């Protein structure tokens, strides 16, 4: 028990890094993902192709590779980013692609009757999207969003390779120093706690947005 | 002479090379209730949707209250009024859909206030009395805080009518307003429409309700295969149909 307590301090610090990356990425991904989704559903062909290419590259290559690219390859081109910024950039670029696709599916699941009703009431494109389509989309995308969000929590552990002291790295450091596997179990407990809280929050959100159904 | 609300001539519309409307004329004067009847696939809903530009015509012209909405130039190109003007003309027409198309995430009152506040930019205190009056007229004052999903189909359609009226249109278009309803619920919607007609609202109604067409409309248009087969007063169409196609259709409907 003492041992666990003594491990706890560095692991809590690691959790802070993990949570920081998760939260900042999540906050950035929501609006950017929504904008990309709206761009994908707008009628501008070149924009659609550009965004499709972006999504293809981001979903079609490993996140680990993207992290290594931003962290090690960009500096060769003269772009040296601080560790945290590099990590955030990679995660945001990658997860935006997934969230954009979730949002796009949500937008396209709204029947064309809603657009026609809005049009006949004189609403503009942006009024129709922001006031009619997107609010209805939110309820429908919550379950797949919940999935992706939990994935993001776990994927933050990939920054392990960037020598940033996240939760997983903190655990591994102790394991290597003490020859004791307990920190892995503690780390698992931390991740489970985070995903538990997220799952609970998404459940509440779903209930809240279901009130009109 | 009464004001011409809709004057459309030679409207043509194709879907995938198939003629859906092959040169339709429509004339609606102020206070008219025009019923468009005909078998499924005759193009009557498409015609209605062409009148308010939910579909764009491939030929012909449409004037709304004397203003050119769409016309054809010398080389047969279809030209709509400039964007702003077109939107303004569209705004003179209220539309009621077969599937209601209420906004499910807004309350009944929210549905009514949405466009007046955000499109017309009317202050809420100005539009609220009108909205409450409209809800009373469709008999749903007690439902103003309900969500559409909590209402029956007939109630939803009456809200949809009130929502369209809240924009104070000059013309109301109804696209099979009772076709998605259980038979016992059609009466309440038709009752609301009948009251609207008695208040001299100009209405164009695509419908399968022959009794409604006969009793409420003062003009009837019978369409088949993208053409107007016969047009006239309800007495002319229902009691003395001239064309074989009309007689066959009515025999099956009545």
């Amino acid at each position: 028990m003492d041992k666990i307590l003594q491990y706890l301090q560095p692991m809590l610090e690691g959790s802070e890094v993990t949570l920081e990356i998760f939260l900042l990425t999540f906050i950035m991904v929501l609006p950017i993902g929504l904008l990309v989704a709206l761009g994908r559903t707008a009628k501008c062909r070149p924009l659609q192709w550009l965004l499709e290419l972006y999504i293809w590259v981001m979903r079609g290559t490993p996140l680990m590779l993207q992290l290594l690219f931003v962290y090690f390859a960009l500096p060769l081109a003269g772009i040296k980013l601080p560790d945290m910024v590099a990590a955030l950039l990679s995660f945001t670029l990658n997860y935006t692609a997934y969230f954009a696709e979730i949002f796009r599916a949500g937008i396209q699941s709204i029947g064309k009757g809603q657009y026609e009703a809005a049009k006949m009431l004189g609403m503009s494109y942006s009024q129709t999207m922001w006031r009619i389509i997107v609010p209805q989309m939110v309820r429908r995308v919550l379950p797949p969003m919940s999935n992706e969000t939990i994935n993001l929590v776990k994927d933050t552990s990939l920054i392990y390779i960037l020598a940033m002291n996240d939760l997983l790295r903190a655990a591994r450091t102790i394991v290597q120093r003490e020859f004791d596997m307990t920190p892995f179990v503690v780390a698992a407990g931390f991740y489970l706690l985070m995903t538990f809280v997220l799952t609970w929050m998404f459940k509440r959100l779903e209930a809240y947005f279901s009130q009109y159904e | 002479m009464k004001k011409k609300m809709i004057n459309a001539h030679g409207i043509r519309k194709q879907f995938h090379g198939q003629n859906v409307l092959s040169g339709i004329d429509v004339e609606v004067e102020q206070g008219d209730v025009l019923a468009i009847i005909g078998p499924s696939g005759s193009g009557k809903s498409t015609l209605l949707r062409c009148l308010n530009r939910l579909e764009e015509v491939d030929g012909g012209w449409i004037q709304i209250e004397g203003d050119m909405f769409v016309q054809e130039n010398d080389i047969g190109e279809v030209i709509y009024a400039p964007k702003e003007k077109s939107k303004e003309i569209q705004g003179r027409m209220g539309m009621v859909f077969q599937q209601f198309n209420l906004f499910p995430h807004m309350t009944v009152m929210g549905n009514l206030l949405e466009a007046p506040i955000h499109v017309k930019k009317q202050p809420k205190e100005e539009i609220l009395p009108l909205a409450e009056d409209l809800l009373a007229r469709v008999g749903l004052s007690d439902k103003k805080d309900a969500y559409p999903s909590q209402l029956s189909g007939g109630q939803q359609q009456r809200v949809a009518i009130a929502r369209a009226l809240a924009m104070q249109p000059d013309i109301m278009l109804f696209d099979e307003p009772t076709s998605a309803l259980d038979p016992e619920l059609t009466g309440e919607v038709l009752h609301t429409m009948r009251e609207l007609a008695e208040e001299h609202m100009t209405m164009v109604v695509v419908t399968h309700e022959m009794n409604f067409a006969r009793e409420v409309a003062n003009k009837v248009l019978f369409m088949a295969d993208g053409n107007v087969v016969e047009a006239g007063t309800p007495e002319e169409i229902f009691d003395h149909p001239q064309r074989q196609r009309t007689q066959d259709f009515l025999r099956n409907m009545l």
Side-chain angles (χ1 to χ4, degrees), chain A residues 112-114 116-124 127 131-133 135-136 211-213, chain B residues 49 52-53 87 90 95 97 101-106 114-115 118-119 147 149 163 167:
Chain A
K112 82 174 198 318
Q114 292 289 306
E116 291 186 346
K119 187 174 175 189
M120 285 316 296
L121 290 169
M123 299 179 79
S124 66
Q127 282 175 328
R131 301 195 54 83
I132 307 299
I133 305 301
Q136 292 183 60
Q211 59 183 352
Y212 61 78
E213 282 188 350
Chain B
R49 293 165 60 83
N52 63 15
R53 208 182 171 183
K87 236 186 134 176
Q90 259 181 330
M95 177 86 171
F97 299 87
N101 295 343
L102 291 177
F103 303 133
H105 58 302
M106 297 178 186
E114 177 65 19
H118 292 100
V119 177
Y147 284 98
S149 61
R163 177 177 70 175
M167 289 297 274

Side-chain angles (χ1 to χ4, degrees), chain B residues 131-238:
Chain B
E132 275 171 351
D133 179 49
L134 285 170
L135 278 183
R137 274 165 65 188
V138 301
L140 290 171
S141 292
D142 54 332
K143 298 290 186 190
K144 66 177 180 188
D145 296 321
Y147 284 98
S149 61
Q150 297 164 324
L151 305 179
S152 73
Q155 290 172 328
Q156 289 191 50
Q157 193 60 300
R158 286 186 280 152
V159 173
I161 293 172
R163 177 177 70 175
L165 290 172
M167 289 297 274
Q168 295 170 285
D170 300 334
I171 305 164
M172 283 287 283
L173 307 177
F174 296 82
D175 188 7
E176 303 199 25
T178 58
S179 296
L181 297 176
D182 291 336
E184 76 266 24
L185 298 178
T186 58
E188 58 191 68
V189 172
L190 294 176
H191 175 77
T192 296
M193 291 168 62
R194 190 185 292 258
E195 283 183 343
L196 204 53
E198 281 162 7
E199 291 160 23
H200 309 294
M201 171 60 81
T202 306
M203 295 161 66
V204 180
V205 185
V206 170
T207 186
H208 291 293
E209 297 287 335
M210 293 305 132
N211 285 329
F212 177 84
R214 182 201 281 267
E215 290 163 22
V216 180
N218 66 329
K219 287 182 180 171
V220 179
L221 204 71
F222 173 66
M223 286 180 69
D225 308 319
N227 290 294
V228 174
V229 178
E230 212 166 327
T233 63
E235 296 76 37
E236 286 168 342
I237 302 295
F238 289 107

